[in-house]
Amino acid sequence: MPEPEHQPQPHAGPQPEPQPEKPVSRSLDPRSLRGLAHPLRIQLLRSLRRHGPATASQLAERLGESSGATSYHLRQLAAHGFVEDDPTRGKGRERWWKSAQQGTTFDESLYRNRDPEVQGAVAVYLHEIATIHTQELNTYLGTRHDWDESWLGASDMSDFTLRLPPSGLRELNEKLHELIESYRDSATSQEPDARRVRVHLHAFPQSED
């Protein structure tokens, strides 16, 4: 999803980070989920995907952690195939890391896995993703005045209540995913005022009590 370099524009807000041409998604299985389901590992992987290759020390400074902790968890991520060395960077003993994929998909079979360790990992992973979504939204709300007014009107915080069976919700999610993906490589992504846009999709049943 390459984005051209842009000259800074007044009130345009933060510039997007370069992205690979084609994001490659990693589907989680029980083993890889257990390897990823740690708050710091999820944050490390997210940082590498968003900002590009970095050293353990750089990631430690960015995330407010010790370099020992980031080094250990990067090695664990590497053991499960989420990150890898970047041989194009670094000199001597300096080790640079990069993400091995640009996305992660959650296989619904993990919900049905009866292994307590897997269910514990599911809980950690989902709660951490929910926390990240909340942080991202709060960051935007706290910095919204840094953006041009056109972005304020284009952003959205809607919610809807429907009555659907599980099959209907599944169909709705699939259609929404297909629509969102259709914009990934659209011509509008190359327009001068195009910026990174985050779309969060939450769809879940709710008690009527």
Side-chain angles (χ1 to χ4, degrees):
M1 209 167 39
E3 299 187 12
E5 293 184 358
H6 303 292
Q7 294 297 320
Q9 303 197 14
H11 309 294
Q15 300 297 302
E17 299 80 5
Q19 292 294 303
E21 288 191 5
K22 293 292 182 182
V24 178
S25 184
R26 167 78 177 273
S27 181
L28 295 176
D29 57 25
R31 180 180 181 277
S32 59
L33 173 63
R34 289 194 298 268
L36 178 61
H38 183 285
L40 181 53
R41 293 178 196 174
I42 294 172
Q43 291 286 352
L44 287 167
L45 184 57
R46 173 174 176 262
S47 182
L48 289 173
R49 287 175 174 174
R50 179 174 181 181
H51 300 290
T55 66
S57 295
Q58 290 171 338
L59 290 165
E61 182 176 358
R62 183 181 298 157
L63 300 177
E65 298 284 344
S66 70
S67 58
T70 55
S71 293
Y72 170 77
H73 287 292
L74 283 166
R75 291 195 299 272
Q76 295 302 308
L77 287 170
H80 289 85
F82 289 103
V83 303
E84 58 192 11
D85 286 310
D86 186 351
T88 66
R89 299 170 183 261
K91 297 179 180 179
R93 299 176 60 185
E94 189 175 42
R95 190 175 189 181
W96 284 71
W97 297 93
K98 64 179 180 179
S99 63
Q101 306 89 25
Q102 275 300 307
T104 303
T105 57
F106 190 92
D107 193 304
E108 67 177 68
S109 65
L110 294 168
Y111 291 120
R112 300 189 292 272
N113 191 304
R114 297 186 180 278
D115 186 334
E117 288 189 9
V118 173
Q119 288 309 307
V122 167
V124 170
Y125 178 81
L126 294 179
H127 278 92
E128 187 63 21
I129 296 302
T131 298
I132 289 172
H133 287 183
T134 301
Q135 291 172 343
E136 289 182 339
L137 180 57
N138 285 335
T139 296
Y140 166 69
L141 294 177
T143 60
R144 68 187 186 281
H145 296 302
D146 297 337
W147 294 88
D148 185 86
E149 289 184 358
S150 61
W151 284 105
L152 300 180
S155 62
D156 184 54
M157 285 180 57
S158 298
D159 61 84
F160 306 88
T161 301
L162 308 173
R163 290 188 64 83
L164 296 171
S167 59
L169 183 56
R170 184 188 302 276
E171 178 183 349
L172 174 61
N173 287 333
E174 291 174 351
K175 289 182 176 180
L176 288 171
H177 288 194
E178 182 179 354
L179 176 61
I180 292 168
E181 285 298 324
S182 71
Y183 281 85
R184 188 178 296 280
D185 297 316
S186 68
T188 57
S189 67
Q190 304 302 321
E191 293 185 3
D193 60 347
R195 298 291 182 269
R196 175 193 294 273
V197 171
R198 290 286 283 163
V199 180
H200 296 164
L201 176 60
H202 303 151
F204 51 88
Q206 186 178 56
S207 172
E208 298 186 35
D209 294 340

